[in-house]
Amino acid sequence: MSTKTKTTTAYDEFVSYLEKIFAVSTDEVKVIIKDFHSEMQKGLSGFESSLKMLPSFTDRAKGIEKGKFIALDLGGTNFRVIAVDLDGKGGTTIVGVNKYVIDKQYMEGSGEQLFDFIANCIKGFMEGKNIPLDKKLELAFTFSFPVEQTNVAAGKLLTWTKGFTASGVVGEDIVVLLNEALRKIGIKNLKVAALVNDTVGTLVAKSYTEPSCDVGVILGTGTNACYPEKIINIRKWRGMPPKGNMIINMEWGNFDKLFVSPYDKDIDAASPNPGKHRLEKMVSGMFLGEILRVVVRDLIKRDLIFKDESATNLFSKNGSLKTENMSNIEADTSDNLGEVEAFISKHNVKNIDQNSKDLLKHVSKLVSKRSARLSAAAIASVVLWMDPELKNKHVIGIDGSLFEKYPGYKDMMEEVFIELFKTHAKNIVCEHARDGSGVGAAIIAAIAASTEG
Ligand code: ADP
Ligand code: MG
C-alpha cells in the first residue's frame, strides 16, 4: 500500500513538473514579444541578433502579375517542380506538379550531387510535360533556407537547416549552382528570375487575392515568417531609395530568447546545429515528435509509463515517434485511445495499460500546445511591430501541415490572441495559405520581370 501511495505521488509530481516546464503563460508571451521586438530592431540595424531579418528584394503582389513560369520548391519534405500560369487578374493555374523524394544521400552528400539531382528532375519534368527545352522560360526558385540575397535572383546560403548538410554550398550563390547544374545537362533556355524563401512566397501568394494579408508564416517541417517592412527602417541596407516597402524574411526559427527545458537541451545537443534554431526546435513538425519521444523515454526510465521492455527500445530510437503520430493520437477522442494502441502495438509493445495511453496523450498535448502558443507569441510580435495598437485587420497567411492538420492548433493560437488583446483579437485572422512555393514564387518572378530595367 505504502509503495502504491509513493508511486502515485511520484507520478503526480512528475506530471505537474512536465506541465510546468511546457507551459507558456500570458506573461511569458509578453516577455517573448518584447524580446522579439528588440531582436528585430537589432537584426534590421545590422547588429548581432538571433533574427537575421533578411531583405527579400520584393514587395507584396498587386494582383496584376502575369505570365508562365516554372517554379521549384526545395526545403521541405519533397522537392517539387511546378508549372504555373498567372492571368494578371488574380487568377492562377497550376499546369503541372511533380514531387520527388530527396534521398538522404543528396541532403548529406556533396552540393554538386544535390544540384545535379535537381537539374535532372527539372529536365524530366519538362520532357514529361512537353515543355520545349529551346524556348526561353523564367524559373522561380523557392529555396527555403537562410539566404543573404543581393538581388531578387541572387543570394548566398548562410547556413543549412532542417537536416540538410550538403557540402560546398554554404557561402555560395544558390542561383549560380543551379545554373551550372542546368548547363551541365544541356538546359540553356531557363533563366532564374527569382530566388524565393517559402515564407515570402506564402505572403506574396496570399496577398495576390487578399490585400490585408501582411504576414506570411510557415508551420511545417520548419517554421519561419516574413512581413513587409518600410525600406527606411532597414537600416543595415542602403541599396534602394528609402521609399516603399520590402518584405523581410525574419528567419524566426532561430529566435533564442526562450526558456528551454532539459528535453529541449537534449534535442538541441543531438541536432546538427546545436545552439541554433531554438524556436524551430520547440515549434516545428520536424521536432515535436522527437520532444515527445525524449519525454516518454524519461517517463519509462522513471517507471511511470509503458512497463514493457520493448517500449524502452521503441522510445530510445531517434525518430521513432513522428509529429503525425502525435496528431493522430490527439485526434482520437475515444476512451480507449485506439490510436495510441495502434501506434504502440505496431512496434510490438505489449501490456499497454490505459494509464500509459492517457499519459502519452496528455504529454503530447503539453508539447503541441507549447508549440502553438510560441507560434502565436511570434505572430503577435510581428503584428504589434507593424501596428502597435492593433487598429487594423491583419490576415496571417500560414502554410504547412502542422497548422493545417494538427488538431486544435489554430484554436490554441487564437487563445493567446484573446488573452493578449481581448476583443481586438479578431483583428488577427489566421488563414491557411496554399502554394506559396509555386504560385507565390511565380508572382515574385513576374514582379521582378515587370520592374526590370
Ligand atoms: P514542408 O514543411 O516540408 O514543406 P509540410 O508543410 O507538409 O511540408 O510539413 C510537413 C511536416 O508537417 C512534417 O515534417 C510533419 O512534421 C508535419 N506533419 C505532417 N503530417 C501532419 C499531420 N497530420 N499533423 C500534424 N503535422 C503533420
Ligand atoms: Mg512547404
Side-chain angles (χ1 to χ4, degrees):
M1 183 70 201
S2 65
T3 343
K4 188 153 193 285
T5 322
K6 203 171 149 220
T7 13
T8 314
T9 315
Y11 176 93
D12 290 342
E13 267 179 18
F14 199 71
V15 173
S16 310
Y17 163 75
L18 292 178
E19 285 166 353
K20 198 172 125 232
I21 60 171
F22 284 107
V24 184
S25 69
T26 317
D27 284 338
E28 284 168 288
V29 169
K30 289 179 184 164
V31 174
I32 291 173
I33 294 172
K34 227 175 95 225
D35 288 336
F36 239 92
H37 287 173
S38 129
E39 293 292 286
M40 286 170 78
Q41 184 67 59
K42 283 192 277 179
L44 287 170
S45 306
F47 295 113
E48 187 73 29
S49 166
S50 66
L51 296 174
K52 291 205 174 80
M53 308 299 282
L54 303 169
S56 69
F57 295 82
T58 189
D59 194 5
R60 283 177 293 169
K62 293 195 173 76
I64 52 164
E65 295 76 9
K66 199 173 163 174
K68 289 185 199 305
F69 300 88
I70 299 285
L72 311 177
D73 178 11
L74 181 76
T77 311
N78 299 299
F79 171 63
R80 301 189 305 155
V81 185
I82 309 148
V84 186
D85 276 8
L86 309 173
D87 73 0
K89 295 176 225 139
T92 57
T93 316
I94 301 222
V95 191
V97 190
N98 274 9
K99 268 191 196 178
Y100 308 84
V101 175
I102 311 163
D103 285 344
K104 236 180 148 68
Q105 74 177 99
Y106 297 123
M107 289 169 74
E108 298 174 355
S110 74
E112 195 174 353
Q113 286 170 317
L114 176 66
F115 281 89
D116 286 348
F117 166 75
I118 292 172
N120 278 304
C121 292
I122 300 170
K123 192 171 184 196
F125 175 83
M126 300 203 22
E127 285 167 352
K129 300 276 184 267
N130 292 319
I131 302 171
L133 284 163
D134 53 359
K135 237 174 89 188
K136 275 203 156 42
L137 191 57
E138 299 205 311
L139 195 82
F141 189 6
T142 302
F143 182 80
S144 307
F145 299 96
V147 166
E148 182 96 67
Q149 292 195 216
T150 43
N151 68 53
V152 73
K156 287 182 179 152
L157 176 65
L158 292 171
T159 165
W160 281 120
T161 56
K162 296 179 276 192
F164 278 75
T165 55
S167 59
V169 186
V170 172
E172 298 299 316
D173 187 329
I174 298 309
V175 175
V176 171
L177 296 181
L178 177 62
N179 279 334
E180 277 171 6
L182 287 171
R183 218 158 302 138
K184 246 201 271 178
I185 54 166
I187 298 186
K188 298 194 183 87
N189 63 321
L190 291 179
K191 178 186 159 207
V192 182
L195 182 63
V196 177
N197 188 277
D198 56 349
T199 310
V200 180
T202 297
L203 171 55
V204 171
K206 190 80 183 168
S207 67
Y208 197 54
T209 51
E210 173 60 79
S212 53
C213 177
D214 56 6
V215 186
V217 175
I218 300 294
L219 286 166
T221 305
T223 186
N224 189 13
C226 68
Y227 70 101
E229 181 60 88
K230 292 185 194 75
I231 289 176
I232 198 159
N233 290 342
I234 313 172
R235 297 231 165 86
K236 64 177 167 186
W237 179 74
R238 284 283 169 256
M240 259 199 202
K243 274 191 307 203
N245 294 323
M246 182 185 286
I247 298 174
I248 292 289
N249 164 18
M250 300 176 71
E251 287 298 331
W252 84 10
N254 194 51
F255 180 73
D256 63 2
K257 305 287 171 281
L258 295 159
F259 167 78
V260 287
S261 74
Y263 304 107
D264 300 304
K265 286 184 188 156
D266 284 355
I267 304 259
D268 180 56
S271 72
N273 54 353
K276 300 269 162 53
H277 276 243
R278 297 313 290 254
L279 180 69
E280 182 157 274
K281 288 170 187 164
M282 296 163 82
V283 164
S284 82
M286 186 166 176
F287 297 97
L288 297 189
E290 270 300 275
I291 301 171
L292 180 58
R293 182 185 70 80
V294 297
V295 178
V296 175
R297 187 181 61 184
D298 192 26
L299 284 164
I300 292 175
K301 211 168 78 191
R302 293 167 190 272
D303 209 18
L304 299 173
I305 198 168
F306 299 125
K307 294 167 184 157
D308 185 296
E309 189 62 27
S310 35
T312 315
N313 298 336
L314 169 59
F315 289 98
S316 301
K317 242 192 314 191
N318 279 357
S320 60
L321 182 70
K322 303 259 183 291
T323 302
E324 290 94 308
N325 300 126
M326 293 171 65
S327 187
N328 293 337
I329 288 166
E330 286 192 43
D332 183 351
T333 50
S334 70
D335 284 341
N336 71 341
L337 287 174
E339 274 300 332
V340 181
E341 189 101 30
F343 168 69
I344 301 284
S345 57
K346 206 163 65 200
H347 297 273
N348 298 321
V349 181
K350 314 232 164 38
N351 307 322
I352 310 167
D353 61 298
Q354 186 64 37
N355 261 346
S356 295
K357 289 197 273 181
D358 291 339
L359 182 56
L360 181 68
K361 182 170 172 179
H362 183 67
V363 180
S364 176
K365 276 193 165 161
L366 299 179
V367 173
S368 58
K369 188 169 181 173
R370 183 181 68 165
S371 158
R373 291 183 67 85
L374 291 175
S375 302
I379 289 171
S381 306
V382 182
V383 170
L384 289 177
W385 176 265
M386 293 186 288
D387 181 6
E389 284 161 51
L390 198 54
K391 284 187 179 147
N392 305 309
K393 179 181 164 189
H394 302 265
V395 171
I396 319 296
I398 308 180
D399 187 18
S401 297
L402 184 65
F403 175 75
E404 195 189 353
K405 297 184 186 156
Y406 209 103
Y409 200 90
K410 185 179 174 196
D411 297 338
M412 293 189 284
M413 284 169 55
E414 283 171 353
E415 270 170 32
V416 177
F417 302 141
I418 292 167
E419 290 162 25
L420 291 172
F421 309 122
K422 312 287 180 297
T423 55
H424 276 75
K426 66 176 186 313
N427 275 350
I428 303 181
V429 183
C430 294
E431 284 183 8
H432 182 223
R434 278 192 182 82
D435 283 327
S437 51
V439 170
I443 296 168
I444 294 168
I447 297 174
S450 73
T451 54
E452 223 168 51

